[in-house]
Amino acid sequence: MNGETSYLTDLAEVLWPCGGLLGRGGDTAALTRTAAPRPRAEIREYLPVPSARNPRVILPATNRYAAIRGISAFAQHHSLRERMRTAVLTTAFASGFAPLVLRDRLHVAAGPTIERELSAALDRDVIIAIHVGPPRANRKPVLLLLTPAGRIIGYAKIGVNDLTTRLVLAETRALRRLTDANLPHMTVPRLLHAGDWNGRPMLVQEALPVGGQTDRPTRHQLLRCVTQICGIDAVTRRPLAGSRYRESLRDRVAALGARPEAAALRTALHRLPDVQMPFGAWHGDLTRWNIASTPRRAFVWDWERLTFDVPVGFDALHYELNEAVQAGVDTGVHRWLDSGARLLRDPMLGRVGPRHESVSTVMALYLIDLATRFLHDRQAEGGGRGAAVDDWMLPAIAGLEERAAREAAGR
């Protein structure tokens, strides 16, 4: 049993405390031996795709409509390879061929199941498909909720450890806060239910109309979105040294303790010039995976890191950095050092954006903040793209320090 298979069995204990065991197609003997004997009809089957050793989605084996919608909903259509993989899986399930090829099964017995809890909370029959995602610190199950006919109802998230518990609770608070936010060109999910399951926090949010009619945002659409997000709370302009943000970031760096990276981050924060800058809200993880746009409207989800009173422009920098490193971290970061500065100077940010003399200071603060987050969440130890603080973040911060000093001196 590898690490991913162990994760899958642990996840089954969270979602189906009545019993969930891995096996092959038609093999339910182990399940019926470990609990009171159950009729075959009460034992449901899920397909780990592509396999139990490398699960990325978990789909219902006997409802092809729900499985097809699950494939489409969780697919990332940002490359030709991803689109081809989605097309192959969709065809396999539509033809009924998939259960013959995908032999691994997750057998689930009847009893207190997550499906029953969600059906009661939403007052309708619910079938689920599950996005597992790659191994990382903030990995948690995301459940697609469907009707038996395959119509999408919404999404559910469940905290499975200390970090993901904090994130689920934070997103619940964020969605409640966003209910009354003035976002004329943006749609965010409505909170449908908040509660707990199996002793763990759970939220259910509506599904946004994202699909073939939406695409990644253009530069104009991205910056329009950033200005609306930062304005969720009042935007204020004040010196860095006297800001609550600098004090909060200093405390977070200090909480890293004796880690060698902490000393470098603390020194970098201390050396940044005391320039004036605007402070407002930021989404916290605005990337191509959490936003889709039409020419008139942006659809934004995953609000678990919504934070207030941070330097305006962080969302633009975060999106741009994640785009830049898709083709490679080293070249991407060098490109971002220029493209990120151009974004912050774009006239679209207008009166809410940073002045030219504080652009590099804002960029350095963003990287210090992101490095601190990675270290607290232990993402830097998971091998994730862009998470190597020593490899590229600290050198980039050092270069931005020098650039910030020159900008401040020439204001």
Side-chain angles (χ1 to χ4, degrees):
M1 181 178 291
N2 72 347
E4 290 295 88
T5 308
S6 297
Y7 177 82
L8 194 57
T9 55
D10 291 343
L11 178 60
E13 289 183 9
V14 172
L15 301 180
W16 302 288
C18 54
L21 292 177
L22 288 170
R24 308 292 280 180
D27 176 19
T28 61
L31 185 61
T32 55
R33 285 197 303 269
T34 59
R38 301 181 186 276
R40 177 68 181 86
E42 291 188 20
I43 298 174
R44 287 158 298 139
E45 292 184 347
Y46 288 87
L47 296 169
V49 179
S51 70
R53 295 181 63 83
N54 183 33
R56 289 298 172 261
V57 293
I58 303 172
L59 304 170
T62 57
N63 189 316
R64 69 177 64 182
Y65 304 110
I68 290 170
R69 291 305 297 269
I71 294 166
S72 299
F74 292 134
Q76 300 291 340
H77 299 288
H78 300 304
S79 70
L80 177 61
R81 181 179 180 183
E82 290 163 346
R83 291 193 294 272
M84 291 180 61
R85 184 186 300 119
T86 299
V88 168
L89 281 172
T90 300
T91 301
F93 275 96
S95 65
F97 191 60
L100 302 177
V101 178
L102 304 171
R103 297 292 295 162
D104 289 341
R105 296 291 189 277
L106 189 61
H107 302 294
V108 179
T113 65
I114 186 64
E115 296 95 331
R116 182 176 296 182
E117 177 72 12
L118 290 167
S119 296
L122 301 177
D123 195 26
R124 62 196 310 171
D125 289 339
V126 169
I127 293 175
I128 64 171
I130 307 165
H131 182 256
V132 178
R136 54 182 180 175
N138 60 344
R139 186 192 211 185
K140 59 184 173 299
V142 177
L143 281 57
L144 175 66
L145 314 183
L146 304 133
T147 67
R151 189 171 69 83
I152 295 178
I153 302 169
Y155 291 89
K157 297 181 181 181
I158 300 173
V160 294
N161 55 33
D162 288 344
L163 173 59
T164 56
T165 290
R166 293 197 303 271
L167 293 176
V168 169
L169 293 174
E171 185 162 17
T172 302
R173 293 191 297 270
L175 293 178
R176 285 176 172 149
R177 173 70 183 270
L178 292 169
T179 300
D180 300 320
N182 180 27
L183 302 169
H185 301 290
M186 189 187 311
T187 299
V188 302
R190 288 186 303 117
L191 181 66
L192 301 179
H193 173 73
D196 64 89
W197 167 249
N198 202 9
R200 303 165 190 272
M202 177 177 68
L203 71 84
V204 181
Q205 58 188 274
E206 72 173 345
L208 296 178
V210 174
Q213 78 282 9
T214 58
D215 202 349
R216 275 181 282 171
T218 64
R219 181 189 184 96
H220 176 87
Q221 291 164 347
L222 172 66
L223 293 178
R224 183 177 66 184
C225 185
V226 169
T227 59
Q228 290 191 61
I229 292 173
C230 72
I232 292 172
D233 204 7
V235 176
T236 59
R237 195 177 291 270
R238 57 188 180 275
L240 173 62
S243 67
R244 291 190 299 271
Y245 171 76
R246 186 182 186 279
E247 181 180 353
S248 172
L249 181 56
R250 183 190 62 204
D251 291 344
R252 288 167 52 210
V253 172
L256 292 171
R259 293 193 63 133
E261 305 95 337
L265 294 174
R266 185 165 51 248
T267 300
L269 180 59
H270 177 72
R271 287 177 176 172
L272 288 177
D274 182 24
V275 290
Q276 281 214 349
M277 61 184 63
F279 294 85
W282 80 307
H283 175 279
D285 194 21
L286 196 66
T287 66
R288 64 164 70 179
W289 299 279
N290 297 331
I291 182 174
S293 288
T294 65
R296 295 181 177 273
R297 179 160 293 274
F299 301 91
V300 183
W301 58 97
D302 281 1
W303 290 87
E304 61 196 19
R305 294 190 184 273
L306 175 65
T307 311
F308 299 95
D309 203 30
V310 303
V312 169
F314 273 18
D315 274 325
L317 294 173
H318 192 72
Y319 187 92
E320 181 68 12
L321 177 62
N322 278 273
E323 289 297 297
V325 300
Q326 292 303 308
V329 172
D330 291 337
T331 57
V333 171
H334 285 295
R335 187 164 62 250
W336 174 83
L337 290 171
D338 291 328
S339 62
R342 288 196 300 271
L343 269 180
L344 294 188
R345 295 188 176 104
D346 194 291
M348 270 291 294
L349 287 181
R351 60 181 179 80
V352 301
R355 297 182 180 128
H356 286 202
E357 66 268 18
S358 62
V359 163
S360 293
T361 302
V362 171
M363 294 179 70
L365 287 169
Y366 161 71
L367 285 187
I368 294 170
D369 196 306
L370 190 64
T372 304
R373 178 200 295 183
F374 282 147
L375 294 171
H376 273 296
D377 294 352
R378 305 182 72 84
Q379 291 191 40
E381 298 166 20
R385 182 185 302 223
V389 174
D390 280 335
D391 285 353
W392 66 265
M393 282 186 165
L394 293 181
I397 291 168
L400 285 168
E401 268 186 65
E402 297 177 4
R403 212 163 77 179
R406 291 196 302 270
E407 288 178 355
R411 58 186 165 182

